[in-house]
Amino acid sequence: MRAPARELFQDAAFPASDSSLFSSFSTPLAQFREDITWRRPQEICAAPRLFPDNPQEGQVKQGLLGDCWFLCACAALQKSRHLLDQVSVTVQVSLLLLSSCLLSTGRKREARQLNLLFCGALLRLPSMVIPPGQPGWLDQTYRGSFTCRIWQFGRWVEVTIDDRLPCLTGRLCFSRCQREDVFWLPLLEKAYAKIYGSYEHLWAGQVADALVDLTGGLAERWNLKDLVRTSDRQDRPGGSEHRTCRQLLDLKDRCLISCSVLSPRAGARELGEFHAFIVADLRELRGRAGQSVLLLRIHNPWGRRCWQGPWKEGGPGWSQVDPADATELLSQLQEGEFWVEEEEFLREFDEVTVSYPITEAGHLQSLYSEKVLCHTQELPGAWVKGQSAGGCRNNSGFPSNPKFWLRVSELSEVYVAVLQRPRMRMADWAARARALAGADRAAYSPESFPGKDYQAVGLHIWKVEKRRVSLPRVLSAPPVAGTVCHAYDREVHLRCELTPGYYLAVPSTFLKDVPGRFLLRVFSSGRVSLSAIKAAAKSPAPGEALPTGEWETVRLRGSWRIGQTAGGSRNFASYPTNPCFPLTVPEGVGPRCVRITLRQHCQDSKYHPIGFHVFQVPVAGGRQGMPSLLLQEPLLSCVPHCYTQEVSRLCHLSAGAYWIVPSTYLPDTEGSFTVTIATRIDRQSIHSQEMLGQLLQEASFMAVMKT
């Protein structure tokens, strides 16, 4: 009797339909809507495999989808293939042997802890984006599903998909590997598309963002044209752009390097516009004339060679080096690869993206010092309109931005990063687009993609002597570190060498009252701790709001006690026994605007009649003369005493010392209260104004492989 056919998994959350392919029908992908079919790997080829035996056969290759930015990041996994497969298997075998030894001696607890520790370490490895041990197509346990892990806003998210893949005329129409019977790349691409809401949402993006999503680490973007301009102004050889290429030479074995063309020039005429590439290798040779020649091997995700520069095969550039070196380097070229020389690279390419190396223990490593950043902290935050969205330092509301204490325990290399979340989840964009697809497709364009919805953000750090500081005054001083400008990047970060002590970190948007959420991440070579500064709840006086500007607020608790501090109003001789609170107004330009608020704490709305008086202290005065001072006329008063929870007075006080005396109307009336003193700060002008960066130019906006 024939065994019943196995029922294969079908992902209802990301079905094999147009809803998973398209979001807005606004990219060239829409022209293939009627022709795309869905097939499982065993329906595409006879013997599908997840990974190849030869790493070259697993190289990334772009299809009809404009996601070269994502495919370049996937090359980081291919570059760490030993972690994807060989090393992880070796470590697992060693673990099983050690675990068996522990179990054989009855040490079950230690064996369980070892397994948990090992599994936790694997989850931190970037290579574990595709967890090992998943059943293949020939396994008895195969059910048509695969699971990938993708880092999202501070945590690894498991994404399960079915293995039905988009095809045209029976072949994969999006990403594929060099060998088309290898499927790790199209499966990972599908999981990433599910996270984003659709395949079409992968059209155009930043290599740096995909690198972070696949590693949980950091990535840097270097603008080559800015480096060249800086070097031209310095007017000296060996400028910053040449140092950059030498730095890439040092980094080539430790991390992924990608480069982008944002606008084509003479030599790169066929490379496409807004296209990303992989820097596969760098080699420094000695030329025939004794000069140093630095060559970069570039891999085009399109999988074809399209380079017309002097270092193409048969080009004149190879005459500058030894023929044996030329033969060796040309023999290394795989499909879609070509060599360029350093100056040619700097002239023809616009941007370089470099991922931070990650150790096998899951720690980031500095690009600059190779120090292991083994101490990490992260906290979420938000810019809330009208409360904590103060804008950049050009705005008077800057001190209202979210603030964080960073305590550095030892001299450390520290990276502080602000990762912003899109204001609308990508799946929500897809659902919205599908709902309106038949009604108003023209309302959607590539500019409306979620990746375009990031705000221009910045980050500044101040060192403070202690945690109890005057925030407005600190923020008026120059920071110890800050972003050059507010950038539209999804994540911005600072690299600092910090001495022990307390630091204040303030992330901000360029514009005021722009809402958003973010994750503040800290990576450090030394011990650090991170904590959020909670904003004090505001209690505006009834019918009276604070004028605009920056305010420093102090809250003082007190109480009236029978026979001790419940002196009543000035009608009674016991008035001087009331609580007294000192207030000092510092020197400045003219009187300071001060709001004094008295709020009583009582149950069941059983309010006492309350009020307060403010007395100015003579220059030679002090506590010794306080009783006689309180018998004189006050400078200002908040009376008559009212049966209310809170009374307030807005006034202007000159520089000097004052006493604030809260009271009930009748003596010996017990209760507790809070006195809030808000002083307007006249902020000094900031000489270095904040700048706004240019809008991001995303890779793969125009560049698509033509098949």
Side-chain angles (χ1 to χ4, degrees), residues 328-584:
E328 178 195 353
L329 296 189
L330 287 172
S331 68
Q332 296 177 8
L333 291 177
Q334 302 293 320
E335 186 177 356
E337 292 185 344
F338 52 88
W339 289 96
V340 296
E341 193 264 337
E342 178 183 9
E343 290 187 5
E344 185 182 13
F345 174 76
L346 293 168
R347 181 177 66 251
E348 303 293 350
F349 291 86
D350 296 283
E351 243 181 30
V352 165
T353 301
V354 184
S355 68
Y356 277 62
I358 299 180
T359 67
E360 291 189 19
H363 301 306
L364 287 190
Q365 195 174 11
S366 170
L367 286 178
Y368 303 92
S369 67
E370 299 189 23
K371 291 181 181 178
V372 177
L373 309 175
C374 53
H375 299 272
T376 62
Q377 297 276 310
E378 62 181 42
L379 282 175
W383 296 290
V384 180
K385 184 177 180 179
Q387 299 181 32
S388 59
C392 68
R393 296 175 71 215
N394 299 342
N395 298 300
S396 61
F398 178 77
S400 67
N401 279 303
K403 294 171 283 290
F404 297 84
W405 288 122
L406 176 64
R407 184 178 183 181
V408 179
S409 300
E410 53 192 314
L411 179 63
S412 305
E413 183 177 359
V414 181
Y415 292 78
V416 186
V418 180
L419 173 69
Q420 58 174 319
R421 175 177 281 185
R423 286 186 290 177
M424 183 178 289
R425 289 295 300 163
M426 295 173 179
D428 297 336
W429 277 89
R432 182 180 175 190
R434 288 196 293 269
L436 297 177
D440 187 16
R441 291 182 190 172
Y444 287 83
S445 66
E447 283 74 19
S448 68
F449 286 175
K452 304 282 187 179
D453 200 40
Y454 294 116
Q455 298 299 320
V457 297
L459 173 65
H460 295 83
I461 298 175
W462 286 264
K463 186 170 186 180
V464 295
E465 295 301 322
K466 55 184 179 179
R467 293 183 64 168
R468 295 181 62 85
V469 297
S470 171
L471 291 177
R473 292 171 188 156
V474 169
L475 299 180
S476 295
V480 296
T483 49
V484 175
C485 66
H486 280 65
Y488 287 96
D489 293 18
R490 187 179 76 169
E491 185 170 42
V492 298
H493 71 267
L494 292 173
R495 173 182 176 264
C496 321
E497 291 282 347
L498 299 183
T499 55
Y502 282 104
Y503 293 84
L504 182 67
V506 183
S508 62
T509 58
F510 185 77
L511 296 176
K512 186 179 180 181
D513 285 334
V514 173
R517 290 187 292 168
F518 63 87
L519 183 70
L520 189 71
R521 303 199 288 162
V522 178
F523 304 89
S524 175
S525 61
R527 290 175 293 118
V528 294
S529 63
L530 182 68
S531 60
I533 300 177
K534 294 184 179 180
K538 291 184 177 180
S539 55
E544 184 178 37
L546 280 176
T548 58
E550 300 175 23
W551 294 77
E552 183 178 28
T553 302
V554 176
R555 287 178 172 81
L556 306 169
R557 297 293 298 267
S559 61
W560 297 292
R561 293 287 178 261
I562 296 177
Q564 300 178 33
T565 57
S569 66
R570 296 181 67 236
N571 297 336
F572 302 91
S574 56
Y575 176 76
T577 64
N578 279 300
C580 298
F581 297 94
L583 167 63
T584 301

Side-chain angles (χ1 to χ4, degrees), residues 178-198:
Q178 196 73 27
R179 279 285 300 264
E180 294 190 31
D181 60 350
V182 175
F183 286 91
W184 72 271
L185 180 62
L187 289 171
L188 179 57
E189 181 186 52
K190 182 174 183 178
Y192 202 59
K194 182 177 179 179
I195 282 282
Y196 268 62
S198 71

Side-chain angles (χ1 to χ4, degrees), residues 180-416:
E180 294 190 31
D181 60 350
V182 175
F183 286 91
W184 72 271
L185 180 62
L187 289 171
L188 179 57
E189 181 186 52
K190 182 174 183 178
Y192 202 59
K194 182 177 179 179
I195 282 282
Y196 268 62
S198 71
Y199 276 95
E200 197 172 40
H201 268 137
L202 300 187
W203 199 292
Q206 291 291 328
V207 178
D209 295 346
L211 281 169
V212 172
D213 290 341
L214 296 182
T215 66
L218 289 175
E220 284 194 13
R221 292 170 50 238
W222 300 342
N223 188 312
L224 295 177
K225 297 300 171 279
D226 284 349
L227 293 174
V228 170
R229 282 192 293 268
T230 301
S231 180
D232 289 343
R233 285 195 299 267
Q234 293 172 347
D235 194 25
R236 62 185 183 188
S240 55
E241 81 281 11
H242 297 284
R243 290 195 297 272
T244 296
C245 286
R246 290 300 184 273
Q247 188 175 4
L248 294 180
L249 183 64
D250 296 334
L251 294 173
K252 68 171 186 174
D253 296 324
R254 296 197 291 130
C255 51
L256 176 104
I257 304 170
S258 173
C259 56
S260 300
V261 170
L262 301 179
S263 56
R265 282 164 291 279
R269 196 178 303 280
E270 294 190 23
L271 288 184
E273 199 173 8
F274 300 101
H275 192 32
F277 304 80
I278 302 154
V279 180
D281 194 13
L282 290 94
R283 292 288 297 272
E284 188 169 23
L285 306 176
R286 183 62 59 187
R288 287 184 167 184
Q291 80 280 19
S292 174
V293 179
L294 181 61
L295 296 176
L296 300 91
R297 178 156 55 95
I298 310 297
H299 175 76
N300 186 350
W302 286 350
R304 67 170 187 261
R305 300 174 193 172
C306 46
W307 185 257
Q308 302 303 318
W311 294 87
K312 66 179 181 179
E313 290 186 79
W318 296 104
S319 61
Q320 301 178 31
V321 299
D322 187 272
D325 290 334
T327 301
E328 178 195 353
L329 296 189
L330 287 172
S331 68
Q332 296 177 8
L333 291 177
Q334 302 293 320
E335 186 177 356
E337 292 185 344
F338 52 88
W339 289 96
V340 296
E341 193 264 337
E342 178 183 9
E343 290 187 5
E344 185 182 13
F345 174 76
L346 293 168
R347 181 177 66 251
E348 303 293 350
F349 291 86
D350 296 283
E351 243 181 30
V352 165
T353 301
V354 184
S355 68
Y356 277 62
I358 299 180
T359 67
E360 291 189 19
H363 301 306
L364 287 190
Q365 195 174 11
S366 170
L367 286 178
Y368 303 92
S369 67
E370 299 189 23
K371 291 181 181 178
V372 177
L373 309 175
C374 53
H375 299 272
T376 62
Q377 297 276 310
E378 62 181 42
L379 282 175
W383 296 290
V384 180
K385 184 177 180 179
Q387 299 181 32
S388 59
C392 68
R393 296 175 71 215
N394 299 342
N395 298 300
S396 61
F398 178 77
S400 67
N401 279 303
K403 294 171 283 290
F404 297 84
W405 288 122
L406 176 64
R407 184 178 183 181
V408 179
S409 300
E410 53 192 314
L411 179 63
S412 305
E413 183 177 359
V414 181
Y415 292 78
V416 186

Side-chain angles (χ1 to χ4, degrees), residues 613-632:
H613 300 278
V614 177
F615 300 85
Q616 187 167 16
V617 180
V619 176
R623 277 192 174 271
Q624 294 79 7
M626 186 167 55
S628 60
L629 175 66
L630 299 185
L631 296 178
Q632 301 176 14

